[in-house]
Amino acid sequence: MRKNILYSLLLFLLGLPLCASAQQSDNDAAIARIRKAYNAAVANAKKIEKNKVTMTKDGSWGVENSRTVIDFYYTFEEIKELGFSFEKLNLVRETQKGIHTTYYQEFLFDPDTETLLFHLLVTTDKDNNLKVERRTYFGMDNDGTSHTEVKVTDTKTSKDVTSLHSENIGILMDEGFIIRYGHNLVGAFSNIMLRGWD
């Protein structure tokens, strides 16, 4: 009996690295798929640069004045039965420039379903000489799993200082907020393009 338990435990422990390796392999494959979709969206954005939709807004919070520019890039979906096509949101680039901070965001949407696949956030804090880059990959699995990578760089020395700022990394925006904001961008684009019927 004891031999069987030890044998089972040994098999379990030997199997753990294989499970971890398989999970990492699945993550790598999902990230590669999303990066491929991102590259296609960037190529499409270059192609339609003159026809992108842009919104601009001036604002302020506290002593910080800022200007926000949001660029919407899209693909076309053709409905042959009705004889027309309409725009589907594919990539959004948002830049917010302030006196002390700069925010740059990208939202990648599946060109067929307009569901969020990827979010990039780059913030630059001029007062503290820090640049934070956060990449979040959505739809890693059918259960809605996501994967986030964060890097903090000292802009004076170009050194990676992520470990020194790990406590503050979570304040950048949680994944729920990113998904809601992405959903709002799809709605805004739909309204801009007068797609209220979809």
Side-chain angles (χ1 to χ4, degrees):
M1 176 76 173
R2 190 170 183 178
K3 221 181 214 184
N4 288 344
I5 292 171
L6 286 173
Y7 181 71
S8 297
L9 183 61
L10 181 63
L11 282 176
F12 174 74
L13 291 173
L14 288 172
L16 281 178
L18 294 173
C19 291
S21 175
Q23 186 177 9
Q24 183 60 43
S25 177
D26 289 346
N27 278 354
D28 292 345
I31 290 171
R33 176 180 47 79
I34 293 168
R35 285 183 178 157
K36 185 177 178 183
Y38 176 81
N39 292 337
V42 168
N44 178 65
K46 285 181 184 171
K47 204 164 48 173
I48 69 158
E49 182 66 32
K50 289 181 182 176
N51 297 316
K52 70 183 177 187
V53 175
T54 300
M55 290 174 47
T56 305
K57 184 181 106 169
D58 291 322
S60 65
W61 64 95
V63 296
E64 181 85 317
N65 293 316
S66 69
R67 166 163 275 223
T68 302
V69 178
I70 304 175
D71 294 321
F72 297 87
Y73 298 90
Y74 50 87
T75 60
F76 288 97
E77 181 169 313
E78 189 176 350
I79 302 177
K80 290 181 182 176
E81 302 82 31
L82 300 176
F84 73 94
S85 61
F86 64 97
E87 303 85 358
K88 304 273 303 239
L89 188 58
N90 187 211
L91 181 68
V92 175
R93 291 175 172 157
E94 178 178 331
T95 305
Q96 186 178 77
K97 291 184 178 177
I99 298 166
H100 304 285
T101 55
T102 300
Y103 294 90
Y104 174 76
Q105 296 187 83
E106 288 186 343
F107 294 81
L108 172 68
F109 298 91
D110 183 295
D112 296 324
T113 63
E114 294 182 312
T115 55
L116 186 62
L117 293 177
F118 173 73
H119 176 254
L120 166 69
L121 174 65
V122 180
T123 64
T124 306
D125 181 342
K126 296 171 190 171
D127 295 338
N128 295 305
N129 303 308
L130 292 176
K131 179 170 93 169
V132 180
E133 297 171 80
R134 175 177 168 161
R135 289 168 174 79
T136 304
Y137 300 85
F138 295 94
M140 299 290 289
D141 205 341
N142 291 330
D143 63 0
T145 306
S146 61
H147 173 75
T148 300
E149 299 168 356
V150 180
K151 181 180 179 185
V152 183
T153 307
D154 183 317
T155 56
K156 274 190 171 179
T157 64
S158 298
K159 287 186 179 176
D160 184 335
V161 291
T162 308
S163 61
L164 300 175
H165 298 276
S166 58
E167 291 178 7
N168 300 322
I169 286 171
I171 66 171
L172 287 175
M173 279 196 263
D174 66 18
E175 290 168 16
F177 180 85
I178 295 167
I179 291 168
R180 286 190 304 277
Y181 193 81
H183 182 74
N184 289 343
L185 288 170
V186 173
F189 179 73
S190 179
N191 289 331
I192 290 167
M193 305 309 283
L194 301 176
R195 283 175 40 197
W197 45 267
D198 68 357

